[in-house]
Amino acid sequence: MNNLLNESIQQITEQLKHWRRDFHHFAESSWFEFRTATIVADELHRLGYSLQLGKDVIKADARMGLPSEQALHEQEQRAIQQGALKAWLPHFSGGFTGIVATLETGKPGPTLAFRVDMDALALNEAQTPEHRPYVEGFSSCNAHMMHACGHDGHTAIGLGLAHVLKQHECQLTGKIKLIFQPAEEGAQGAKPMVAAGVVDDVDCFIAIHIGLGNSPGGLVCGKDNFLATTKFDVIYRGVATHAGAKPEEGKNALLAAAQAALGLYAIPRHSGGSSRINVGVLQAGSDRNVIPAHALMKVETRGETNEINAFVYQQALNIIEGAAKMQGVEYELIPMGSAQNSQPSPVWVDFIYQQAGQHVPELLSVVKRHKLSSVSDDATYFMERVKANGGYATFLVFGSELSAGNHNERFDFDENVMATAVKTLAVIALQLPDFKVD
């Protein structure tokens, strides 16, 4: 198997780099992945995969953090100008930018699903001589959109895996599903895909990531501790008035938001495990001589368990409401995203650990159940649904040298990690008949 598989990987290596750099240059943030989705769908269709697209894989009323209709329309037009394939675009219009590709082998066996994400962050990319994407001409051309977490590489890995699995189709059994998820960065895309039933038939599930501070050449096999998270916006609405002539007639939304922000950071830590709170955005007011009538906060909570996250979230709600009462303003809380805590399936982790160690010498180390205690990923919704249905699920992280940490404007990774990831995932699919549960 190894020689033939190595040949397949070698054939696809340059294409992986091309895809990654193309997606990086035309970065698209959550629910705006129009160009990316059309290119992915077209490639998968050419390979002969059975496709489910858009509304077939995303339940509309389960979406969170959806941009305005005007923003969706503007970004769709932008995608067309940047080369989105118009034949596929109607499937994704309105922000339904999800794809599930299925390979039916015609042989009995379990259903194996791989999930990759496609969205970029709302971040402006560095334009400096030290930043390789800028120097080599593939830095993002879209303002406030940047692949600073490796999802461009994830999407390329998904396409590369699709090619390799097709080449080795005669050796596969059961059914393979490739899930291309939008809107992971805000923890928004997985939940509506789960609600649409895309993993209800899945027996074995793997989500992937590259980097995350792990050693180059290593594979973190399993996931003990991604944090559960809740992401939400808070809008305070007060009353504007002249700040000099009639300040007593105003209701200060900015002051309510400022008091809430300070109060949120005073939430006590939980003795049961790690917790986090962050106010990432506070926008308010219109001018120096006007009592601010409007304020927006973008907030997230995190917890090592669902229960700890729920504790932090409830404390946050109390503080937000209290600040509104103190200033006599109204407030609205808008859910924007969420992810669960999820434990990997030990027998599935053990199988992957053994196969990777035996068949992928490119991996310098394979670590089981390594903790990732400071980040969250909404792939946990997929994991929990698969496990609830009696299946097995885990998360794999492929280590890579990084130029800067995730979510940094200078983020970049060693592109060689993509070929290693494709090979590892292909090995798991090819060796799946050996997966036995006592």
Side-chain angles (χ1 to χ4, degrees):
M1 176 189 71
N2 278 347
N3 288 339
L4 292 175
L5 184 57
N6 286 337
E7 289 179 10
S8 298
I9 301 300
Q10 188 173 8
Q11 291 169 6
I12 205 71
T13 297
E14 283 303 309
Q15 185 62 49
L16 289 170
K17 180 177 176 180
H18 170 79
W19 281 324
R20 181 263 165 152
R21 294 189 172 203
D22 179 72
F23 296 140
H24 190 97
H25 183 56
F26 296 103
E28 298 176 303
S29 55
S30 297
W31 302 123
F32 294 151
E33 307 94 334
F34 298 111
R35 181 185 182 276
T36 304
T38 64
I39 291 170
V40 170
D42 191 67
E43 189 70 25
L44 295 168
H45 175 70
R46 281 196 321 102
L47 289 170
Y49 282 79
S50 174
L51 299 184
Q52 294 173 284
L53 309 172
K55 293 180 181 179
D56 289 339
V57 297
I58 295 177
K59 190 173 181 180
D61 59 7
R63 291 184 295 175
M64 292 179 286
L66 193 67
S68 67
E69 290 186 10
Q70 179 180 348
L72 287 165
H73 175 74
E74 289 174 353
Q75 290 298 323
E76 191 170 336
Q77 295 306 305
R78 183 268 314 151
I80 291 172
Q81 295 172 5
Q82 293 180 345
L85 303 176
K86 292 184 179 180
W88 293 102
L89 203 50
H91 295 284
F92 307 118
S93 188
F96 291 90
T97 45
I99 300 167
V100 177
T102 301
L103 178 61
E104 295 271 8
T105 70
K107 303 172 188 174
T111 296
L112 170 63
F114 298 98
R115 176 278 221 168
V116 296
D117 38 20
M118 301 186 291
D119 58 322
L121 283 149
L123 184 69
N124 287 318
E125 185 160 7
Q127 307 291 307
T128 61
E130 298 80 23
H131 188 50
R132 183 181 63 148
Y134 173 72
V135 172
E136 298 188 15
F138 66 94
S139 59
S140 176
C141 64
N142 291 325
H144 212 49
M145 298 184 192
M146 177 196 171
H147 276 293
C149 200
H151 296 190
D152 48 347
H154 302 169
T155 307
I157 289 167
L159 289 178
L161 180 62
H163 273 258
V164 172
L165 293 180
K166 254 307 192 184
Q167 291 177 351
H168 296 265
E169 184 175 4
C170 63
Q171 299 169 258
L172 297 170
T173 60
K175 182 164 64 175
I176 310 289
K177 299 182 82 168
L178 304 176
I179 301 169
F180 290 81
Q181 180 200 318
E184 187 282 325
E185 290 295 359
Q188 298 161 348
K191 191 173 183 179
M193 295 191 84
V194 169
V198 301
V199 292
D200 284 353
D201 62 341
V202 171
D203 300 297
C204 300
F205 175 86
I206 294 173
I208 71 160
H209 211 293
I210 58 177
L212 295 181
N214 292 286
S215 301
L219 172 67
V220 175
C221 185
K223 178 191 66 62
D224 272 342
N225 205 26
F226 273 134
L227 302 183
T229 184
T230 303
K231 304 176 189 298
F232 55 95
D233 290 354
V234 181
I235 298 174
Y236 284 109
R237 296 187 177 92
V239 176
T241 187
H242 194 292
K246 293 286 184 179
E248 74 279 6
E249 294 182 358
K251 305 289 186 182
N252 196 320
L254 185 155
L255 192 53
Q259 288 173 324
L262 291 174
L264 290 172
Y265 282 100
I267 292 174
R269 303 303 91 181
H270 198 288
S271 63
S274 298
S275 61
R276 302 283 192 276
I277 183 78
N278 190 55
V279 180
V281 172
L282 197 164
Q283 298 170 338
S286 58
D287 207 343
R288 73 182 70 249
N289 61 353
V290 180
I291 299 296
H294 181 274
L296 166 68
M297 291 197 308
K298 297 186 177 184
V299 188
E300 67 170 20
T301 65
R302 299 182 196 245
E304 189 169 334
T305 66
N306 295 333
E307 292 74 22
I308 294 173
N309 181 61
F311 165 82
V312 179
Y313 178 67
Q314 185 57 56
Q315 295 295 310
L317 295 186
N318 295 339
I319 291 165
I320 289 162
E321 181 180 8
K325 289 180 178 178
M326 288 176 67
Q327 298 302 322
V329 302
E330 297 179 348
Y331 77 95
E332 178 184 4
L333 189 145
I334 305 170
M336 297 298 289
S338 63
Q340 299 174 289
N341 176 247
S342 181
Q343 301 296 320
S345 304
V347 294
W348 184 224
V349 169
D350 289 344
F351 174 78
I352 294 169
Y353 176 87
Q354 292 164 3
Q355 299 305 321
Q358 181 178 349
H359 296 288
V360 191
E362 296 91 333
L363 293 170
L364 303 179
S365 65
V366 183
V367 181
K368 286 194 291 185
R369 295 187 285 278
H370 181 76
K371 288 198 173 188
L372 297 165
S373 59
S374 61
V375 297
S376 306
D377 195 301
D378 66 352
T380 51
Y381 278 111
F382 292 116
M383 293 176 64
E384 287 301 293
R385 177 60 67 89
V386 171
K387 288 162 56 184
N389 290 337
Y392 306 89
T394 194
F395 201 105
L396 302 184
V397 180
F398 295 90
S400 172
E401 184 176 350
L402 305 178
S403 62
N406 297 70
H407 297 206
N408 184 290
E409 67 273 9
R410 295 184 295 104
F411 178 87
D412 191 21
F413 62 87
D414 180 354
E415 292 169 328
N416 291 321
V417 71
M418 295 186 291
T420 302
V422 171
K423 181 176 180 180
T424 304
L425 300 177
V427 163
I428 294 167
L430 289 164
Q431 298 297 120
L432 192 59
D434 293 339
F435 178 49
K436 309 295 182 185
V437 180
D438 295 329

